[in-house]
Amino acid sequence: RYHFPQLPTGSAIILAYSQTHRQVCGAFAVLTATTQLEVEVTSRANPQPSPTMPPLRVSGQVYETTTAGRVGMGGALVGFEWLNDGPFFEVYADADGRYVACGIPANRRLAVSPWQEGFEGPFGWHQFSADTTLDFELKRVSNQLTLVRR
């Protein structure tokens, strides 16, 4: 348990992480004199979903389109960033590229972007008022250099 007395009125983002554990859902609170907020963490090696899955939830699939069709990008990172204040929350996709982010604050503008080594993906601002499905297509980045002779 942590206690931060005499915080000013406003809002706060809570981030909890370590080398061995990660946060399960986003944690946002409007601060008052008696604000309390529980933050769930899970093992990075054996992640478990939240047993409560607080609203709002954003879910979807991070994928690559190949000649064989749509292929899920296992292990892709989906990051949510707070307008002008930096990171809010991030989740990793499962082996099929599916992800679920919970505890998303309603009607707050968040930048949402996927990431996977060797790929580039879309970056966009979103505002959520209900549970939402948001899929992301990643595209391979060419690592080839072109030499020009003069």
Side-chain angles (χ1 to χ4, degrees), residues 22-86:
R22 66 179 182 91
Q23 197 167 324
V24 177
C25 294
F28 168 80
V30 175
L31 301 175
T32 66
T34 59
T35 299
Q36 290 189 14
L37 182 65
E38 303 228 356
V39 178
E40 298 174 78
V41 296
T42 186
S43 164
R44 282 182 184 247
N46 185 23
Q48 300 297 310
S50 168
T52 59
M53 288 297 282
L56 290 164
R57 290 177 285 277
V58 176
S59 60
Q61 185 181 36
V62 180
Y63 66 94
E64 175 187 20
T65 301
T66 69
T67 55
R70 189 169 166 156
V71 177
M73 302 291 298
L77 177 72
V78 179
F80 295 80
E81 294 187 23
W82 203 257
L83 180 63
N84 299 326
D85 289 332

Side-chain angles (χ1 to χ4, degrees), residues 113-130:
S113 61
W115 180 86
Q116 177 81 311
E117 184 72 39
F119 291 83
E120 59 183 27
F123 173 92
W125 292 96
H126 298 273
Q127 190 167 312
F128 305 99
S129 59

Side-chain angles (χ1 to χ4, degrees), residues 19 23 27 31-32 37 40 46 99 103 110 129-133 138-139 150:
Q19 294 293 335
Q23 197 167 324
L31 301 175
T32 66
L37 182 65
E40 298 174 78
N46 185 23
Y99 73 93
L110 296 172
S129 59
D131 289 355
T132 302
T133 299
L138 297 181
K139 303 212 183 248
R150 294 187 189 237

